[in-house]
Each structure stands twice: as C-alpha cells, then as structure tokens.
Amino acid sequence: MGGVGKTTLAQLVYDDDRVKRHFQIKAWTCVSDDFDVFRVSKSILNSIASDQCKDKDDLNLLQEKLKKQLSGNKFLLVLDDVWNENYNYWSILSCPFGAGAPGSKIVVTTRNLDVAKRMGADPEYPLKRLSDDDCLCVLTQISLGATDFTRHQSLKEVGEQIVKKCGGLPLAAKTLGGLLRGRDDPRDWEFVLKTDIWNLRDSDILPALRVSYHFLPSQLKQCFAYCSLFPKDYEFQDEEIILLWTAEGFLDQEYNGRKMEDLGREFVRELHSRSLFQQSRKDASRVLMHDLINDLARWAAGEQYFRMEDTLAGENRQKFSQSLRHFSYICGRYDGDTRLEFICDVQHLRTFLPVNLSDYRHNYLAWSVLQMLLNHLPRLRVFSLRGYCNIFNLPNEIGNLKHLRCLNLSRTRIQILPESINSLYNLHTILLEGCHQLKKLFKDMGNLTKLRHLRNSDAYLLEEMPKGFGKMTCLLTLGRFAVGKDSGSGLRELKSLTHLQGRLKISKLENVKDVGDASEAQLNNKVNLEALSLEWSARSERCEFEADVLRMLKSHRDVQELTITGYGGTKFPSWLGDSSFSKLARLELRRCMSTSLPSVGQLPFLKELDISGMDGVASVGSEFYGNSCSVPFPLLETLSFSDMREWEEWIPCGAGQEVDEVFPKLRKLSLVKCRKLRGTLPKRLLLLETLVIRTVSSSLLMKRWLSPLTTSRRRCSYESGTSTLYL
C-alpha cells in the first residue's frame, strides 16, 4: 500500500544513533520500477565511497569495486521501493553482498509481498494503516506545530472529522496538514472538510491528495503539474525545475514585485511545506515526489502533458493528442526514428525533455530524429539533448526555434556551438554542464540580451568568450569566463555583468595583457557572488605582472569560497588574508608559485583550507598564522596539504609571539606527499578526529606528538609512511 509510511519507518531506523554505531558501512538507494542492476549497484557504491569510476558500462568491474568496499565490513543496506519480482535481477545484484562481515543487514521496502519473499526477506513487517488518533497527531504536528488541540480547541472537532477522511494513511494526513499549516480559523478547516472534491470518483487518486491540489493557488497548480514530466523517484534540483518553469512562462508575471528566480524558490518551498515535494536524502539541493504525489501530478496535468516511460527501442506507434504541449521520455540506449518521429506531428509542442535515469550510461539519439525535431517543432520553449553522447555539433536549423528559452546540451560532446543560435533572441538559459569537449561558443553572443543563465563551469577546453559578451547585462549565473586573446573578450567585459550571482570561474588569466583590464572587471562590486575561482592555465615568466593582476582581482568581502590555481607571483596580495572577508569559509590554493603562504590565519570564519602543489614553499611559519592574531584559525575544521615537494619545516605558532590558542576547532588534518617535511606537528589539537599521513618523511616526530591526543580518548595507531588515523 502506498503512503502508509514504509520509507519513513526505514529512514528512522537508518538514522538512529544506535544503528550508526553498530554498522561500519551504511548505504541507501531507491530501486523503483526500473530494476536496473547497473544503476542500483552504482548508486550503492556512490553511497559508500562517492566513487566516480569510469567503468561506465562494465557491471563486473563495478561489482568488484563494490565487493572490495564491503569486504570484511558490517554493513546496512536499504533498498527502497522495490517493485520487480524477477529473482534473477536480485541474484545478480546481491553477488557482492556476501563479502560483508557477519551481522550485515539488508532492509527492503516494497508494496508487493511477493517481492519480499523472492528476495528472501525474513522476517517481514507488513505495515498497517494508522489509527485515527495517530493520524490526528500527524495532522496537528504539521498544521499547528503541536501534538494536540490544547491551544486550538475550536479546531478539534473539525480536525477529527478531517482525519477520518485520511483512511489511516500518514501521507494523506501530511498533505492536509501542509494545506492547513498556519491557519487557525475554524472556517478554513470547515471549508476543507466540506469541499465537494472529496466526493469525486473520476480517478484512483487518494481523495485527500486531490483536496490538497484543489486548494493550491492557480500559478502553483501549473508548476506542480509540470513536475509530472519527471518519472517516479527521480531526484531533480531546485534550480533545474525553476529554470524550466521560467522558460515556460509560469513565472513571468510579476508577483509582489519579486524576481522570477525568487518566486520560483518560494514555489519550491511552498510545495515542500505542503508535503508535495520532499528533500532528497543524498543531496539537500534536490527534491523528489512520493509515488502517489507523482500520480497526483499526472492526474492534474491532463492531456497537455505526456511522459513516455517505456525505454525499449522499437515500441509501437504512439498517438499523441494535438492539445499536447509538454513531452518527456526516459532515454533509451538508442533513440531512433521508430521511437520518436511521431512527436513531430504535435506542432504546438513547447517542451521536449529527455530524462536520464543514470549518468553512467551512454545514450544515443539518431541524427535524423534531431533534424526532424528542429524542422517540425518551431514553437519549442524547452529543448533538451542532455546526456546524448553522440551530439558533437548541432544543425544550423537550431535557429528555427525562435521561441526557445531554454537549451540544455549538458553532458553531450558538443565542441562548437552553431552561429545560428545568436538569432534566438528569447533565449533565457543555456546549459552546458559536463561539456568537457566544448571549445567555442559563437560570435555575436551579445545579441542574446535576455540571457540570464549560462552554465558552463566544467567546459575545461573553452578557449575564450566571444567579443561583446558584456552586452548580456541580464546575466545572473555564469559558470566559466575564459579570458580571450586578440579575438575574444577581455576581463573588462565583466564590468557590466553587475547581477552575477552564485559561482564564477575565471580561466585563461595568462591571456590578460593589461592590468587595467583586471581592475575594470570590478569583482569587488559583485556582491552576490558566493564562490570565485581564479585560474592561470599556463606558466608565465611575468611574475610581477601576475601579482599586479591578482591584486586587482580582489573579490567582494561577502564571498564564501575562493580558489586560486596556477598563480605565478612570488607573493600573494595582502587582501587574501584580510579579516574583512567575514564570510569566507573555504579557501583553496593550487599549483601556485609563491614562496610563502598568505596570512590566512586571520580569516575569522574560515572552516576549510586546502593547499596543494606549491613547490616554492620550503617553510611555513608566522606569516601563515597572521602576525597580530591572538587566536589563529579560530573556526578552521579541515586543513589539507598535498604535493608540497620542497616543504621542510612547519614552525609552531607562538615562536617569538604570544598566542592564546591555535586551530581550536580543527577536526581533520591531512598531509599527503610532503616528502621533505621534518620535525613535529602543531600541538594541542584537542578536537582532532582524523589524521591522514601519506608519503611523508619518516623523520617526522609522530609518536611523541600523538601521545597527548590519544590519552583517555579513542584508540589509534600509527605506521610510518602511509596511514589514516581515526582518533
């Protein structure tokens, strides 16, 4: 039975402190209708080791890695929402599990008792419906933030009547509680109780869910219905759905003076508060819908939406309604004419949205299908080719889509974007994430004056931004800005992009020819940037020039993350350790040529510091801590040094100066490939939990340093050379 609380109960067990202490490894994965052994195995491995293996299509290698991770460890695995009764699938999936230690457990949630029996579940725990009293507790907790009606006696009687309509299903009580959240007027509760929607018998949708949908504001109804395009258990990012809503015009109308993106976030929060969305367990930025909520969305969507779920090639001819406006489908291994040509008959289609259930499978789209789509669907507003690995270029016919607002080419192998895109004046969003082979954008990009989002952060081969890039003054998010040479955009074009927010990477800084360009970029005025990365991709002999450039690239003091890569100056500018950076929480310095470290001990909110590949540094001393700082690194929790080939000594803080305490919050210290480091490590690390030592000089005095840390604490051991210690 759906909505009875199977997943919620499993989550309570999974998150219990006693369970956490009992098992060495825990993993959770949602199986759903499509029991893809490869996908599920990959999900389990990612839960355990965040593995990003490149064996994308080799199940045997994948399972060998999983077996190695589980070997000798007592593990807890939750397989949520299993439907498939095929014993062979389960037999293949379970091959690595035998490597676990005795006492390992597998928990399965399913609506089908036969599934549990096929998988050998013992014992079985069939969940019953909640009593009316328990349902009432759920309703009052969510709607009133209380366990009973002590402070709302006027709502008690009507609340008890509403609960009887929930049928003992906690999901029904949750959604109705979300509907009534913050409402303490009995008339509102009476209105919900007496609505005629309870009496409709035109579908299998739970009446309580229909009522919850019925009372949504009209603008929110269409946004919710749009989510019917996503398959069950699919986890989508907040920003992903907001961009789609915006592209379809659902957020165009001014709503209490708020921007479209802000309104979209408000809608996501509202759907979440009504229990129509729920947060992903794996990623806080992702949401999903309960299966029954997904059914509700499909019911609400009507004939304007269609989701084709069959992944088999060669399926029967599909007849689409001419009122269809929004179309999605689950990507197959090869999507050709037989499967997709008939969608071209729907001339008023606005959304073409392939959905990838796995980022580790290769998907292919027939070139003939791509050309048909571009020639026959001129009214598209959303066009996605995400995940099709055979897309190296686009036909010029992409310019036919004059109404296009969102173009998603993420995870394709696109190399050069066609010039015809510059005529798509309504374009709002271009998504190029995971386009590792992208080299060039297109000329006259400045024509796209309505463009608000260009997501290209990991387009590592991007050579330059086209000239006139700064004309796109509406741009809100920009993943990567590659500084151009003679024919490309220089840094000064960033000046007019005053609304940039989120994360920004500036690469190819070796192409800067004039320090004035760096000053004109006015990064210190980009108040909404949260993370900034500055990258020099090639070595240069202009050390002092690079120092001047970096000095001019001071970010706004509210930046939260800062990364500097390949910087060739001999010293860092003084602004890098300025205590006015009151929100800087993460700092990363990679392959920089400076002979000393910046005075970052003065940064008041720095929590993570990662320093790697700085071959010019031989000694770390007082300049690192900050000469006038009484408590250096007051909030630092993670400190990592790696590939420091010439680093020989770490001078303790306090030598020649008075300090109260150093690293008072440090929990993890990592030293990797610091072969010349000798002497002792910092003392009095009272909160240290993890120490990683790999490829470090054997003369590092560890045992004497470790003894005060391990006294009356958890046991640890140390082996010279390579080890990881959990204190």
Side-chain angles (χ1 to χ4, degrees):
M1 181 183 301
V4 77
K6 299 180 295 296
T7 298
T8 300
L9 179 58
Q11 288 174 343
L12 290 172
V13 173
Y14 188 85
D15 294 332
D16 189 274
D17 288 336
R18 292 167 294 178
V19 172
K20 291 179 180 179
R21 292 193 296 267
H22 185 75
F23 294 99
Q24 295 165 291
I25 291 177
K26 296 199 311 169
W28 179 296
T29 189
C30 185
V31 179
S32 196
D33 296 1
D34 179 26
F35 198 132
D36 184 324
V37 175
F38 184 93
R39 178 184 64 81
V40 176
S41 299
K42 184 69 179 181
S43 177
I44 295 170
L45 184 57
N46 280 338
S47 294
I48 295 171
S50 299
D51 188 87
Q52 300 296 330
C53 76
K54 297 181 180 180
D55 311 313
K56 295 186 177 181
D57 295 307
D58 195 322
L59 178 61
N60 291 329
L61 287 176
L62 178 61
Q63 291 204 323
E64 281 299 316
K65 289 193 174 189
L66 180 55
K67 182 178 180 179
K68 184 177 180 180
Q69 289 289 334
L70 297 176
S71 181
N73 291 308
K74 188 184 295 185
F75 68 85
L76 170 65
L77 170 62
V78 176
L79 300 175
D80 186 35
D81 198 22
V82 182
W83 286 79
N84 199 297
E85 299 179 36
N86 191 318
Y87 177 77
N88 291 331
Y89 288 172
W90 166 243
S91 180
I92 297 171
L93 177 68
S94 61
C95 285
F97 301 158
S104 296
K105 300 292 182 182
I106 299 175
V107 176
V108 176
T109 71
T110 179
R111 297 188 202 178
N112 190 336
L113 193 58
D114 289 337
V115 169
K117 291 177 178 178
R118 293 288 180 101
M119 298 178 74
D122 183 29
E124 301 162 1
Y125 296 97
L127 295 190
K128 299 179 180 179
R129 296 172 184 259
L130 295 183
S131 67
D132 285 349
D133 287 343
D134 289 335
C135 262
L136 193 62
C137 286
V138 174
L139 179 72
T140 55
Q141 178 65 43
I142 294 177
S143 61
L144 304 174
T147 57
D148 54 37
F149 290 99
T150 301
R151 300 178 61 183
H152 302 86
Q153 288 295 327
S154 61
L155 302 176
K156 184 176 180 180
E157 183 178 351
V158 65
E160 291 172 343
Q161 294 181 61
I162 289 175
V163 157
K164 289 179 180 178
K165 294 179 176 290
C166 292
L169 297 180
L171 178 63
K174 282 177 63 178
T175 54
L176 290 174
L179 170 62
L180 295 168
R181 185 193 299 270
R183 301 185 181 185
D184 54 9
D185 188 333
R187 290 173 296 183
D188 291 337
W189 289 56
E190 288 279 356
F191 194 57
V192 170
L193 174 65
K194 296 180 179 179
T195 179
D196 293 336
I197 304 300
W198 290 106
N199 302 319
L200 294 179
R201 293 290 182 266
D202 62 340
S203 72
D204 295 329
I205 303 300
L206 287 176
L209 301 187
R210 286 204 306 264
V211 170
S212 297
Y213 170 78
H214 176 73
F215 285 101
L216 287 176
S218 59
Q219 200 170 4
L220 200 53
K221 279 183 177 178
Q222 63 180 354
C223 290
F224 174 67
Y226 195 87
C227 298
S228 66
L229 295 177
F230 296 123
K232 291 181 178 180
D233 297 312
Y234 181 78
E235 298 184 358
F236 50 92
Q237 290 185 325
D238 295 358
E239 293 301 319
E240 175 185 1
I241 190 63
I242 291 171
L243 290 179
L244 292 172
W245 288 342
T246 304
E248 296 297 348
F250 298 161
L251 307 177
D252 274 358
Q253 298 176 8
E254 190 170 305
Y255 197 84
N256 293 336
R258 281 176 288 178
K259 296 179 181 178
M260 290 185 287
E261 288 76 13
D262 294 337
L263 178 58
R265 295 185 190 98
E266 177 62 30
F267 281 5
V268 169
R269 287 192 292 269
E270 182 67 17
L271 290 171
H272 192 280
S273 72
R274 292 172 181 254
S275 296
L276 299 177
F277 281 175
Q278 61 189 59
Q279 189 171 315
S280 165
R281 292 183 54 82
K282 300 176 184 178
D283 186 343
S285 69
R286 292 181 177 270
V287 296
L288 68 158
M289 298 185 293
H290 188 280
D291 284 0
L292 297 184
I293 301 297
N294 192 290
D295 291 338
L296 174 67
R298 297 193 76 173
W299 169 79
E303 290 190 347
Q304 289 195 5
Y305 295 81
F306 185 81
R307 182 176 81 225
M308 188 166 66
E309 294 186 309
D310 185 40
T311 58
L312 298 176
E315 62 188 67
N316 295 329
R317 181 185 178 100
Q318 178 71 51
K319 184 67 176 177
F320 297 109
S321 166
Q322 283 302 309
S323 62
L324 181 65
R325 294 293 181 270
H326 311 285
F327 171 74
S328 73
Y329 63 98
I330 296 175
C331 291
R333 201 63 177 273
Y334 181 85
D335 293 325
D337 295 354
T338 306
R339 186 173 191 214
L340 293 172
E341 64 177 343
F342 304 110
I343 193 63
C344 295
D345 296 336
V346 186
Q347 299 180 1
H348 296 278
L349 196 71
R350 290 187 173 188
T351 303
F352 182 84
L353 186 66
V355 179
N356 303 83
L357 293 182
S358 174
D359 286 342
Y360 308 101
R361 290 287 195 186
H362 288 156
N363 304 108
Y364 299 87
L365 179 70
W367 185 257
S368 58
V369 171
L370 176 57
Q371 290 184 311
M372 281 193 299
L373 294 172
L374 297 179
N375 285 319
H376 291 87
L377 301 176
R379 293 176 176 82
L380 282 177
R381 291 191 174 191
V382 172
F383 183 54
S384 175
L385 297 173
R386 183 181 184 274
Y388 282 118
C389 63
N390 65 315
I391 302 296
F392 293 92
N393 53 68
L394 288 178
N396 282 325
E397 285 81 0
I398 188 71
N400 294 341
L401 309 183
K402 301 301 183 183
H403 301 280
L404 193 65
R405 293 189 178 188
C406 178
L407 175 62
N408 190 347
L409 300 173
S410 297
R411 294 186 54 248
T412 64
R413 295 179 181 174
I414 193 80
Q415 297 178 356
I416 300 175
L417 296 182
E419 298 297 326
S420 57
I421 293 181
N422 64 25
S423 65
L424 303 180
Y425 302 114
N426 291 304
L427 207 56
H428 178 281
T429 299
I430 303 178
L431 301 178
L432 299 165
E433 298 290 6
C435 294
H436 303 307
Q437 299 185 29
L438 181 67
K439 296 180 180 179
K440 291 185 180 181
L441 297 173
F442 49 89
K443 295 179 182 178
D444 300 324
M445 197 170 185
N447 291 341
L448 305 183
T449 56
K450 295 182 181 179
L451 196 70
R452 298 167 74 89
H453 304 280
L454 177 60
R455 305 282 178 86
N456 63 335
S457 60
D458 45 6
Y460 307 116
L461 298 183
L462 188 62
E463 296 172 357
E464 61 185 14
M465 311 309 283
K467 275 192 174 180
F469 191 84
K471 295 178 182 177
M472 297 186 294
T473 55
C474 290
L475 208 59
L476 293 178
T477 59
L478 171 62
R480 177 181 294 266
F481 183 95
V483 179
K485 294 184 179 180
D486 295 335
S487 61
S489 285
L491 272 178
R492 65 177 62 240
E493 299 229 33
L494 286 172
K495 177 181 179 179
S496 57
L497 306 183
T498 57
H499 303 295
L500 287 180
Q501 60 189 30
R503 313 180 74 88
L504 171 64
K505 294 182 180 180
I506 303 178
S507 61
K508 304 287 184 180
L509 281 167
E510 67 274 11
N511 291 335
V512 176
K513 294 183 178 181
D514 186 346
V515 173
D517 281 356
S519 176
E520 284 291 308
Q522 295 186 9
L523 293 185
N524 59 341
N525 290 336
K526 306 289 190 288
V527 297
N528 295 314
L529 279 183
E530 298 173 0
L532 176 65
S533 178
L534 305 173
E535 302 176 355
W536 281 260
S537 307
R539 291 296 186 196
S540 164
E541 300 299 325
R542 305 183 301 168
C543 298
E544 292 305 316
F545 179 78
E546 290 192 13
D548 291 338
V549 169
L550 184 57
R551 188 169 64 252
M552 295 297 178
L553 291 178
K554 179 180 179 180
S555 62
H556 190 269
R557 63 185 181 184
D558 287 343
V559 71
Q560 299 170 30
E561 297 181 23
L562 180 62
T563 301
I564 300 177
T565 303
Y567 168 62
T570 55
K571 289 186 177 181
F572 288 97
S574 59
W575 64 258
L576 189 54
D578 194 330
S579 59
S580 66
F581 282 88
S582 57
K583 295 184 180 179
L584 186 61
R586 188 175 191 279
L587 175 62
E588 196 168 349
L589 305 176
R590 304 173 182 170
R591 303 189 306 278
C592 298
M593 296 303 293
S594 175
T595 56
S596 61
L597 297 180
S599 299
V600 291
Q602 303 174 120
L603 296 172
F605 287 96
L606 189 66
K607 291 185 177 181
E608 186 175 351
L609 176 58
D610 191 340
I611 301 173
S612 63
M614 293 189 58
D615 296 342
V617 174
S619 174
V620 173
S622 59
E623 83 291 339
F624 180 53
Y625 301 100
N627 294 319
S628 60
C629 189
S630 60
V631 182
F633 300 101
L635 295 183
L636 192 70
E637 297 178 358
T638 301
L639 175 59
S640 175
F641 290 96
S642 61
D643 291 308
M644 304 287 285
R645 299 180 184 180
E646 302 301 324
W647 186 22
E648 297 182 356
E649 61 176 347
W650 192 347
I651 301 172
C653 182
Q657 60 175 319
E658 288 295 327
V659 295
D660 297 330
E661 196 172 4
V662 184
F663 304 120
K665 302 292 184 181
L666 194 67
R667 297 184 181 277
K668 181 177 180 179
L669 174 61
S670 177
L671 300 170
V672 178
K673 294 184 181 179
C674 303
R675 299 177 185 273
K676 293 186 178 182
L677 183 60
R678 291 169 173 79
T680 61
L681 297 178
K683 300 178 181 179
R684 296 178 62 192
L685 303 182
L686 302 181
L687 297 182
L688 194 68
E689 296 173 349
T690 304
L691 172 64
V692 180
I693 305 288
R694 293 178 186 155
T695 322
V696 175
S697 171
S698 59
S699 64
L700 192 63
L701 301 181
M702 288 290 300
K703 293 183 179 179
R704 186 175 67 187
W705 179 79
L706 283 172
S707 57
L709 294 177
T710 57
T711 303
S712 70
R713 291 168 59 87
R714 283 162 282 181
R715 291 182 297 173
C716 70
S717 62
Y718 166 70
E719 296 177 7
S720 177
T722 302
S723 63
T724 302
L725 311 181
Y726 298 95
L727 304 177

